[in-house]
């Protein structure tokens, strides 16, 4: 599948996954990839995390849009902004001519109470604002860094929950607008991220079915982060391998390499088992991103991951997104 | 300075906190297991265990009551999976003046929202369950896995938050819109009700008012309980164990946790760092130090051969390990003098009792 076609399939991609699987890195890499494919991309970060700012080596993200990747020959550009529930609520009230009471609601603490009283209201306000940004069309693609897995489900479910709980009024309208957005694969897809390990894979499978059944949102390919490359040479014992290459090992080095390679092979075997199982239990195509063996991601690493995203998309069958 | 072995031997309550995906649940289960191996009667409260671990702990489905783990231990180990809603229902029954009042609350739609979906409720119920077990149960040690949150204080604040919620002045005004002793208050109340109705719709406000009316008289009990839970969390018999992984972003989050706990005057008793990259003794093998750089150089020279791939695997591992230590340096200083216990990634997945025991052996090493 052509990457430009892939990114053009919907104006909003929601990236979700269990904590610790590298969701923010994948969000960033996808944004860079989309930008390379000519899409003006906006990243929306809703948890106010700083990880993205350090990857792009920019200042902290803020409510106002910040340029992460400048528009240049190769790049259509990536911008990013935060969108916290409080921001969304104030916008919501201002849009409805309620700006004056918004101050009072905030200062009295009543806003907190409303949010407490009507669960999901924070989520629906955020999603409603995302919908508004989507509709305004100031970008070609929005990539939303969703809350961690369990919360992602309740986050996306908030629309249907609120459409029932609040049966009339502006929140109800908002909930219905968001439901419409989520249900339309031409506008919105969810990309789930995992690591090639048992627990994150289990959670991903559960999340995938829950999102499809309960939320009715279209699922894009699964992104597997941190995939170990195959090293077939590890099957040969280090001493034998050294002889074959006409090199000699220092004392104790053969044992060191043996321990290291056995460990690597064991992890790789866990990975293969889990990826195979995921393919069997979940009929979604997989995009594999390589393990980078560094825990500090910077711009270079993101460019490299973006290249892997593009390779992965190119390897997908046409129309195999959902 | 106390090691984790001291903690599982002496503490009455252990709270495992940290961000999501760092192995908190596993660490909590291991600590309960180690206490039981030392002859204590322990129970671990899990929030959202992975399926295989839940199976290993005998937790099929929601089991809000402790279940015994079948294992050959000197003591006993029990586990339960927190059921937020039924814990909350239990609280309502406990503090209602009669079954009718309890019923009115339990069937209120607004209550249903609060008890199942309200953010912070899970944290509150986890601390409530903890209190119930610690104060009313026959346990030597209660270990709690906390819900994944970016704010350590969500767990600490949760009991107080509900108490405040029930006692909110504006709601008290809302509850008595017709009693109108002072007319000005009533006018203000009407404005608030109108504003609220504009935002969320009149129906929600009506449900809310009915809920608070049904709750009348119960706030006192809830507040006392919240204060007692708070006291337990801050007492000396409670040990906070911070769980992290060595990746840059989770280390930053763990640092933030430590800072928040410090501001509350709570000491981190130990820092457990999971998912450390093993180094296979590269520091000493053959009397020479093999570093990521030397291994990488060999891998490059020997590229295309099997031995080159062996060096590449070693270089990858050491590169990660060196990065891990760089990230951890600051955090270790921040929690000082608490011991830092490093748990390497295992060549197997940790999701059964055998795996937990293997991690236990690593956690119980003496202080470094």
């Amino acid at each position: 599948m052509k990457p430009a076609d892939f990114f053009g399939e919907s104006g909003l991609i929601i990236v979700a996954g269990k904590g610790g699987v590298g969701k923010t890195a994948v969000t960033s890499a996808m944004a860079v990839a989309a930008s390379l494919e000519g899409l003006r991309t906006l990243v929306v970060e809703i948890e106010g995390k700083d990880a993205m700012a350090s990857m792009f080596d920019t200042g902290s993200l803020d409510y106002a849009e910040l340029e992460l990747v400048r528009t240049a020959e190769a790049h259509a550009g990536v911008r990013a902004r935060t969108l916290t529930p409080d921001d969304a609520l104030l916008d919501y009230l201002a849009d409805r001519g309620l700006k004056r009471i918004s101050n009072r609601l905030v200062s009295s603490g009543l806003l907190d109470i409303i949010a407490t009283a009507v669960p999901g209201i924070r989520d629906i306000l955020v999603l409603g604002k995302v919908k508004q940004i989507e509709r305004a069309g100031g970008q070609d693609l929005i990539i939303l860094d969703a809350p961690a897995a369990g919360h992602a489900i309740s986050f996306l479910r908030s629309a249907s929950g609120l459409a029932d709980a609040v049966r009339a009024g502006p929140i109800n309208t908002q909930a219905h607008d968001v439901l419409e957005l989520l249900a339309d694969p031409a506008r919105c897809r969810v990309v789930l991220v995992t690591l090639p390990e048992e627990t994150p894979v289990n959670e991903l499978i559960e999340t995938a079915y829950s999102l499809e059944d309960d939320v009715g949102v279209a699922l894009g390919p699964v992104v597997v982060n941190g995939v170990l490359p195959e090293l077939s040479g590890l099957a040969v014992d280090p001493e034998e391998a050294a002889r074959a290459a006409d090199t000699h090992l220092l004392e104790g080095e053969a044992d060191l390499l043996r321990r290291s390679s056995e460990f690597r092979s064991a992890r790789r075997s866990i990975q293969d088992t889990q990826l195979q199982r995921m393919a069997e239990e979940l009929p979604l195509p997989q995009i594999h991103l390589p393990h980078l063996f560094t825990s500090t991601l910077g711009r270079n690493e993101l460019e490299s991951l973006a290249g892997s995203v593009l390779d992965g998309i190119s390897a997908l069958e046409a129309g195999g997104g959902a | 300075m106390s090691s984790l072995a001291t903690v599982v031997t002496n503490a009455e309550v252990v709270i495992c906190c940290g961000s999501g995906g760092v192995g908190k649940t596993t660490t909590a289960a291991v600590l309960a297991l180690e206490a039981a191996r030392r002859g204590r009667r322990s129970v671990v409260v899990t929030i959202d265990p992975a399926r295989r671990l839940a199976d290993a702990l005998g937790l099929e489905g929601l089991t809000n009551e402790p279940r015994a783990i079948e294992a050959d231990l000197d003591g006993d180990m029990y586990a339960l999976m927190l059921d937020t809603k039924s814990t909350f229902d239990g609280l309502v029954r406990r503090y209602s003046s009669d079954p009718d009042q309890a019923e009115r609350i339990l069937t209120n739609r607004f209550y249903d929202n609060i008890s199942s979906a309200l953010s912070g409720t899970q944290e509150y119920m986890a601390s409530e369950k903890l209190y119930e077990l610690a104060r009313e149960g026959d346990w030597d040690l209660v270990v709690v896995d906390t819900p994944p949150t970016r704010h350590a204080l969500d767990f600490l604040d949760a009991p107080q938050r509900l108490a405040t919620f029930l006692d909110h002045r504006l709601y008290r005004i809302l509850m008595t819109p017709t009693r109108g002793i002072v007319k000005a208050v009533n006018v203000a109340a009407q404005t608030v009700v109108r504003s609220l109705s504009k935002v969320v719709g009149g129906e929600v406000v009506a449900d809310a008012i009915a809920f608070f009316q049904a709750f009348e008289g119960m706030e006192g009990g809830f507040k006392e309980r919240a204060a007692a839970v708070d006291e337990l969390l801050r007492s000396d018999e409670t040990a906070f164990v911070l769980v992290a992984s060595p990746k840059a972003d989770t280390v930053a989050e763990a640092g933030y946790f430590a800072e928040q706990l410090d501001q509350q005057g709570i000491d981190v008793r130990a820092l457990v760092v999971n998912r450390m990259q093993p180094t296979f003794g590269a520091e000493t093998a053959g009397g020479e130090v093999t570093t990521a750089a030397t291994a990488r150089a060999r891998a490059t020279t020997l590229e295309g051969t099997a031995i080159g791939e062996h060096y590449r695997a070693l270089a990858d591992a050491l590169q990660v390990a060196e990065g891990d230590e760089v990230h951890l340096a600051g955090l270790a200083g921040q929690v000082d003098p608490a011991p830092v216990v490093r748990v390497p990634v295992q060549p197997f997945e940790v999701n059964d009792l055998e795996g937990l025991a293997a991690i236990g052996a690593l956690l119980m090493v003496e202080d470094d």
Side-chain angles (χ1 to χ4, degrees):
Chain A
M1 181 173 201
K2 282 198 188 122
D5 293 345
F6 172 85
F7 287 118
E9 264 182 10
S10 68
L12 170 64
I13 293 177
I14 300 173
V15 180
K18 179 181 160 63
V21 299
K23 190 166 54 71
T24 302
V26 170
T27 302
S28 306
M30 282 186 79
V32 172
S35 166
L36 283 168
E37 287 299 315
L39 288 93
R40 290 168 303 141
T41 305
L42 175 68
V43 175
V44 176
E45 165 64 63
I46 59 174
E47 288 188 322
K49 288 184 295 193
D50 269 340
M52 203 173 290
S54 72
M55 287 176 203
F56 287 95
D57 198 20
T58 61
S60 290
L61 300 195
D62 199 357
Y63 186 70
E65 289 181 10
L66 178 76
E67 191 172 60
L68 294 183
V69 177
R70 186 170 304 180
T71 310
E73 215 165 287
H75 274 287
V78 178
R79 288 167 294 142
R81 59 168 294 172
T82 59
L83 180 53
T84 65
D86 288 350
D87 299 332
L89 180 55
L90 290 177
D91 275 2
Y92 174 86
L93 293 172
D95 289 351
R96 280 157 189 79
L98 295 168
K99 191 165 181 159
R100 244 171 347 126
I101 74 156
S102 72
N103 286 336
R104 224 178 104 208
L105 287 174
V106 171
S107 65
S108 64
L110 199 57
L111 268 191
D112 264 352
I113 302 260
I114 298 171
T116 308
V118 191
I121 201 163
R122 291 171 183 276
D123 297 337
I124 205 69
L125 290 172
V126 168
L127 283 167
K129 183 69 192 178
V130 170
K131 184 217 71 185
Q132 198 186 52
I133 298 169
E134 179 232 10
R135 279 313 195 201
Q139 64 290 312
D140 302 317
L141 176 66
I142 301 171
I143 304 184
L144 176 70
D145 191 1
H151 287 142
I153 297 174
S154 58
F155 175 67
L156 295 173
R157 228 191 239 155
S158 63
S160 55
L162 275 172
D164 286 344
V166 183
R167 285 177 205 152
I171 291 283
N172 179 276
T173 313
Q174 183 105 327
H176 279 286
D177 286 354
V178 170
L179 278 177
E180 228 169 76
L181 166 69
L182 294 177
D184 186 351
R187 291 172 67 194
C188 168
R189 280 169 296 168
V190 172
V191 165
L192 295 170
V193 183
T194 189
L195 291 176
E197 294 171 20
E198 179 169 334
T199 301
V201 164
N202 280 342
E203 249 181 66
L204 180 129
I205 294 171
E206 279 168 28
T207 305
Y209 282 108
S210 169
L211 285 178
E212 239 174 14
D213 297 348
D214 300 352
V215 182
V217 65
L219 296 175
V222 169
V223 175
V224 186
N225 198 16
V227 174
L228 295 168
E230 191 185 352
L231 297 178
S232 53
L234 300 193
V236 186
D237 186 79
E239 277 174 342
E240 192 189 324
R243 272 196 300 278
D246 212 13
T247 184
H248 71 274
L249 302 174
L250 300 174
E251 197 193 325
E253 212 174 14
D255 282 339
L256 171 62
L257 290 171
R258 222 169 263 137
R259 286 193 294 274
S260 147
S261 295
E262 267 169 23
F263 179 84
R264 173 76 167 251
S265 301
R267 294 304 304 181
R268 164 88 196 181
S269 145
I270 290 176
Q271 165 182 310
D272 291 349
T273 309
Q274 296 309 323
L275 290 180
Q276 181 62 34
R277 187 172 64 89
M278 182 161 68
E280 283 162 12
E281 293 182 22
L282 191 67
L284 288 176
Q286 300 175 4
I287 292 177
H288 294 182
L289 301 187
H291 200 311
L292 293 181
F293 305 106
T294 167
S295 40
T296 321
L297 293 184
R299 184 65 191 273
N300 288 340
E301 287 78 16
L302 283 184
E303 298 272 352
S304 144
L305 283 179
S308 305
V309 168
L310 294 174
D311 291 347
I313 293 169
S314 302
L316 298 176
E317 282 172 41
Chain B
M1 184 150 96
S2 63
S3 67
L4 270 175
T6 317
V7 170
V8 299
T9 311
N10 297 326
E12 289 174 29
V13 173
V14 171
I15 297 177
C16 292
C17 54
S19 49
V22 296
K24 270 198 311 268
T25 309
T26 306
T27 304
V30 169
L31 295 178
L33 179 69
E34 286 300 320
R37 274 168 28 86
R38 285 162 173 73
R40 300 185 86 197
R41 189 174 152 81
S42 70
V43 58
V44 56
V45 179
T46 65
I47 303 293
D48 186 18
R51 201 195 308 149
R52 287 267 302 266
L53 182 63
D55 290 348
L57 297 175
L59 299 170
E60 303 101 8
L62 282 175
T63 52
N64 210 28
E65 294 309 317
R67 290 220 186 140
I69 309 284
E70 304 280 335
D72 185 18
L73 301 164
D74 285 348
D76 296 300
M77 175 179 173
Y78 284 71
L80 71 83
M81 177 148 63
L82 182 72
D83 178 350
T84 303
K85 173 112 174 61
S86 67
T87 306
F88 208 144
D89 290 355
L91 266 184
V92 167
R93 290 203 181 86
R94 177 193 295 262
Y95 291 115
S96 52
S97 52
D98 56 70
D100 273 359
Q101 186 186 23
E103 205 49 33
R104 275 203 308 281
I105 294 170
L106 297 177
T107 55
N108 182 288
R109 211 166 50 139
F110 181 83
Y111 168 75
D112 208 45
N113 289 340
I114 291 185
S115 59
S116 56
L118 166 60
S119 81
T121 305
Q122 201 180 34
E123 285 84 355
Y124 175 51
M125 290 308 133
S127 55
E128 167 57 32
K129 195 77 197 175
L130 160 68
Y131 183 83
E132 184 188 312
L133 292 165
R135 283 288 176 263
E136 291 155 24
D138 178 24
W139 307 103
D140 298 324
L141 174 66
V142 183
V143 185
V144 195
D145 165 29
T146 57
T149 163
R150 296 197 59 232
H151 307 284
L153 297 185
D154 282 355
F155 184 72
L156 285 171
D157 284 350
Q160 201 52 47
R161 198 181 315 157
L162 189 89
T164 309
F165 179 65
L166 294 175
D167 199 35
H168 198 275
R169 193 176 58 88
L170 280 164
Y171 262 120
R172 302 199 64 81
I173 295 171
L174 288 179
M175 278 166 56
T176 54
T178 51
R179 264 188 239 163
I181 301 159
V182 183
K183 205 169 176 214
V185 170
N186 246 331
V187 172
Q190 294 304 326
T191 314
V192 169
V193 170
R194 268 203 311 276
S195 308
L196 264 178
S197 303
K198 271 190 201 163
V199 179
V200 298
E203 212 176 335
V204 170
V205 176
D207 273 349
I209 292 174
F211 169 78
F212 280 92
Q213 280 169 346
F215 228 92
E216 195 153 22
M218 279 172 60
E219 318 87 273
F222 266 82
K223 278 174 75 177
E224 269 170 40
R225 183 75 160 195
V229 171
D230 190 62
E231 194 184 322
L232 172 66
L233 291 179
R234 290 164 196 280
S235 75
D236 283 345
E237 67 229 39
T238 299
F240 279 78
V241 172
L242 185 57
V243 186
S245 88
K247 301 300 161 230
D249 48 344
T250 56
V251 166
E253 286 185 20
Y256 180 57
F257 263 90
E259 197 181 296
Q260 287 180 312
L261 290 171
D262 185 55
Q263 278 164 10
Q264 290 283 312
I266 292 171
D267 293 336
V268 172
R269 207 70 70 86
L271 169 65
V272 174
V273 188
N274 289 318
R275 295 182 154 269
M276 291 293 293
Q277 170 67 49
T279 54
F280 316 107
E283 302 81 359
T284 53
E288 265 183 70
V289 178
T290 306
T291 63
T294 56
R296 185 71 70 201
R298 292 281 279 162
T300 307
T301 315
L302 294 162
E303 197 168 340
T305 66
I307 191 67
E309 293 198 340
H310 281 284
Y311 278 113
R312 180 173 160 192
L314 180 62
D316 289 345
L318 296 180
Q319 189 175 310
V320 172
E322 287 169 14
D324 285 358
E325 286 303 332
V326 171
H327 295 133
L328 278 180
L331 183 60
Q334 203 180 339
V335 298
D336 185 70
V340 181
V341 186
R342 293 168 170 78
V343 182
V345 179
Q346 300 300 307
F348 51 85
E349 302 230 21
V350 180
N351 44 29
D352 54 20
L353 284 177
E354 205 180 324
L356 293 181
I359 300 292
L362 297 166
L363 282 184
M364 293 303 126
V365 294
E366 283 308 305
D367 309 345
D368 56 57

mmCIF file of all heavy atoms in Angstrom, chain B residues 294-305 307-313 315:
data_model
loop_
_atom_site.group_PDB
_atom_site.id
_atom_site.type_symbol
_atom_site.label_atom_id
_atom_site.label_comp_id
_atom_site.label_asym_id
_atom_site.label_seq_id
_atom_site.Cartn_x
_atom_site.Cartn_y
_atom_site.Cartn_z
ATOM 1 N N THR B 294 33.506 -1.293 22.509
ATOM 2 C CA THR B 294 34.466 -2.301 22.031
ATOM 3 C C THR B 294 33.740 -3.439 21.317
ATOM 4 O O THR B 294 34.194 -3.925 20.277
ATOM 5 C CB THR B 294 35.333 -2.867 23.187
ATOM 6 O OG1 THR B 294 34.463 -3.391 24.196
ATOM 7 C CG2 THR B 294 36.206 -1.803 23.797
ATOM 8 N N ALA B 295 32.594 -3.847 21.866
ATOM 9 C CA ALA B 295 31.833 -4.925 21.227
ATOM 10 C C ALA B 295 31.327 -4.472 19.858
ATOM 11 O O ALA B 295 31.359 -5.228 18.880
ATOM 12 C CB ALA B 295 30.668 -5.345 22.119
ATOM 13 N N ARG B 296 30.893 -3.208 19.774
ATOM 14 C CA ARG B 296 30.368 -2.692 18.501
ATOM 15 C C ARG B 296 31.485 -2.653 17.455
ATOM 16 O O ARG B 296 31.259 -2.972 16.275
ATOM 17 C CB ARG B 296 29.753 -1.302 18.710
ATOM 18 C CG ARG B 296 29.058 -0.705 17.498
ATOM 19 C CD ARG B 296 27.750 -1.400 17.159
ATOM 20 N NE ARG B 296 26.708 -1.144 18.140
ATOM 21 C CZ ARG B 296 25.630 -1.902 18.316
ATOM 22 N NH1 ARG B 296 25.444 -2.983 17.571
ATOM 23 N NH2 ARG B 296 24.745 -1.618 19.222
ATOM 24 N N ALA B 297 32.676 -2.258 17.903
ATOM 25 C CA ALA B 297 33.796 -2.187 16.966
ATOM 26 C C ALA B 297 34.100 -3.576 16.388
ATOM 27 O O ALA B 297 34.309 -3.737 15.183
ATOM 28 C CB ALA B 297 35.027 -1.613 17.666
ATOM 29 N N ARG B 298 34.103 -4.594 17.275
ATOM 30 C CA ARG B 298 34.334 -5.962 16.823
ATOM 31 C C ARG B 298 33.227 -6.389 15.852
ATOM 32 O O ARG B 298 33.495 -7.035 14.835
ATOM 33 C CB ARG B 298 34.359 -6.926 18.019
ATOM 34 C CG ARG B 298 35.549 -6.749 18.932
ATOM 35 C CD ARG B 298 36.817 -7.382 18.389
ATOM 36 N NE ARG B 298 36.879 -8.825 18.641
ATOM 37 C CZ ARG B 298 37.686 -9.661 17.978
ATOM 38 N NH1 ARG B 298 38.469 -9.188 17.019
ATOM 39 N NH2 ARG B 298 37.688 -10.943 18.256
ATOM 40 N N ALA B 299 31.975 -6.034 16.187
ATOM 41 C CA ALA B 299 30.834 -6.412 15.333
ATOM 42 C C ALA B 299 30.998 -5.809 13.941
ATOM 43 O O ALA B 299 30.705 -6.452 12.930
ATOM 44 C CB ALA B 299 29.524 -5.946 15.965
ATOM 45 N N THR B 300 31.478 -4.570 13.897
ATOM 46 C CA THR B 300 31.633 -3.883 12.609
ATOM 47 C C THR B 300 32.756 -4.537 11.783
ATOM 48 O O THR B 300 32.582 -4.800 10.597
ATOM 49 C CB THR B 300 31.945 -2.391 12.849
ATOM 50 O OG1 THR B 300 30.941 -1.861 13.714
ATOM 51 C CG2 THR B 300 31.932 -1.606 11.547
ATOM 52 N N THR B 301 33.886 -4.804 12.452
ATOM 53 C CA THR B 301 35.008 -5.447 11.758
ATOM 54 C C THR B 301 34.599 -6.807 11.194
ATOM 55 O O THR B 301 35.005 -7.191 10.096
ATOM 56 C CB THR B 301 36.177 -5.676 12.743
ATOM 57 O OG1 THR B 301 36.355 -4.494 13.510
ATOM 58 C CG2 THR B 301 37.455 -6.026 12.013
ATOM 59 N N LEU B 302 33.784 -7.517 12.000
ATOM 60 C CA LEU B 302 33.438 -8.894 11.629
ATOM 61 C C LEU B 302 32.057 -8.988 10.976
ATOM 62 O O LEU B 302 31.431 -10.040 10.977
ATOM 63 C CB LEU B 302 33.503 -9.786 12.874
ATOM 64 C CG LEU B 302 34.899 -9.947 13.477
ATOM 65 C CD1 LEU B 302 34.823 -10.448 14.904
ATOM 66 C CD2 LEU B 302 35.726 -10.890 12.600
ATOM 67 N N GLU B 303 31.574 -7.885 10.459
ATOM 68 C CA GLU B 303 30.228 -7.861 9.889
ATOM 69 C C GLU B 303 30.097 -8.911 8.786
ATOM 70 O O GLU B 303 31.018 -9.125 7.997
ATOM 71 C CB GLU B 303 29.914 -6.476 9.322
ATOM 72 C CG GLU B 303 28.425 -6.303 9.124
ATOM 73 C CD GLU B 303 28.024 -4.860 8.852
ATOM 74 O OE1 GLU B 303 28.810 -3.962 9.174
ATOM 75 O OE2 GLU B 303 26.927 -4.676 8.310
ATOM 76 N N GLY B 304 28.952 -9.576 8.785
ATOM 77 C CA GLY B 304 28.727 -10.586 7.761
ATOM 78 C C GLY B 304 29.110 -11.985 8.208
ATOM 79 O O GLY B 304 28.866 -12.965 7.503
ATOM 80 N N THR B 305 29.710 -12.102 9.402
ATOM 81 C CA THR B 305 30.034 -13.434 9.911
ATOM 82 C C THR B 305 29.171 -13.736 11.130
ATOM 83 O O THR B 305 28.596 -12.825 11.739
ATOM 84 C CB THR B 305 31.508 -13.509 10.365
ATOM 85 O OG1 THR B 305 31.671 -12.650 11.510
ATOM 86 C CG2 THR B 305 32.446 -13.047 9.262
ATOM 87 N N ILE B 307 30.236 -14.778 14.056
ATOM 88 C CA ILE B 307 30.830 -14.223 15.275
ATOM 89 C C ILE B 307 30.549 -12.719 15.348
ATOM 90 O O ILE B 307 30.332 -12.154 16.428
ATOM 91 C CB ILE B 307 32.347 -14.547 15.380
ATOM 92 C CG1 ILE B 307 32.902 -14.200 16.773
ATOM 93 C CG2 ILE B 307 33.164 -13.811 14.317
ATOM 94 C CD1 ILE B 307 32.349 -15.057 17.876
ATOM 95 N N GLY B 308 30.473 -12.087 14.177
ATOM 96 C CA GLY B 308 30.106 -10.671 14.129
ATOM 97 C C GLY B 308 28.712 -10.452 14.709
ATOM 98 O O GLY B 308 28.466 -9.476 15.424
ATOM 99 N N GLU B 309 27.809 -11.375 14.429
ATOM 100 C CA GLU B 309 26.451 -11.251 14.973
ATOM 101 C C GLU B 309 26.435 -11.462 16.480
ATOM 102 O O GLU B 309 25.671 -10.816 17.198
ATOM 103 C CB GLU B 309 25.507 -12.229 14.263
ATOM 104 C CG GLU B 309 25.301 -11.848 12.800
ATOM 105 C CD GLU B 309 24.088 -12.493 12.163
ATOM 106 O OE1 GLU B 309 23.605 -13.511 12.702
ATOM 107 O OE2 GLU B 309 23.624 -11.975 11.141
ATOM 108 N N HIS B 310 27.282 -12.359 16.965
ATOM 109 C CA HIS B 310 27.394 -12.532 18.417
ATOM 110 C C HIS B 310 27.840 -11.220 19.063
ATOM 111 O O HIS B 310 27.290 -10.796 20.076
ATOM 112 C CB HIS B 310 28.427 -13.626 18.757
ATOM 113 C CG HIS B 310 27.897 -15.023 18.606
ATOM 114 N ND1 HIS B 310 27.047 -15.598 19.514
ATOM 115 C CD2 HIS B 310 28.092 -15.958 17.633
ATOM 116 C CE1 HIS B 310 26.746 -16.829 19.130
ATOM 117 N NE2 HIS B 310 27.363 -17.076 17.977
ATOM 118 N N TYR B 311 28.846 -10.588 18.468
ATOM 119 C CA TYR B 311 29.310 -9.298 19.002
ATOM 120 C C TYR B 311 28.221 -8.231 18.895
ATOM 121 O O TYR B 311 28.076 -7.381 19.776
ATOM 122 C CB TYR B 311 30.579 -8.826 18.274
ATOM 123 C CG TYR B 311 31.848 -9.457 18.796
ATOM 124 C CD1 TYR B 311 32.582 -10.340 18.011
ATOM 125 C CD2 TYR B 311 32.307 -9.155 20.081
ATOM 126 C CE1 TYR B 311 33.747 -10.913 18.488
ATOM 127 C CE2 TYR B 311 33.471 -9.723 20.564
ATOM 128 C CZ TYR B 311 34.196 -10.604 19.776
ATOM 129 O OH TYR B 311 35.337 -11.164 20.258
ATOM 130 N N ARG B 312 27.465 -8.297 17.819
ATOM 131 C CA ARG B 312 26.410 -7.311 17.645
ATOM 132 C C ARG B 312 25.352 -7.435 18.752
ATOM 133 O O ARG B 312 24.923 -6.439 19.348
ATOM 134 C CB ARG B 312 25.750 -7.505 16.273
ATOM 135 C CG ARG B 312 24.634 -6.522 16.017
ATOM 136 C CD ARG B 312 24.117 -6.631 14.605
ATOM 137 N NE ARG B 312 22.779 -6.051 14.508
ATOM 138 C CZ ARG B 312 21.984 -6.195 13.466
ATOM 139 N NH1 ARG B 312 22.383 -6.884 12.409
ATOM 140 N NH2 ARG B 312 20.790 -5.638 13.449
ATOM 141 N N ALA B 313 24.978 -8.688 19.050
ATOM 142 C CA ALA B 313 23.990 -8.914 20.116
ATOM 143 C C ALA B 313 24.529 -8.384 21.446
ATOM 144 O O ALA B 313 23.802 -7.748 22.219
ATOM 145 C CB ALA B 313 23.664 -10.401 20.225
ATOM 146 N N ALA B 315 26.860 -6.046 21.856
ATOM 147 C CA ALA B 315 26.948 -4.585 21.779
ATOM 148 C C ALA B 315 25.575 -3.950 22.010
ATOM 149 O O ALA B 315 25.449 -2.974 22.754
ATOM 150 C CB ALA B 315 27.508 -4.160 20.421
#
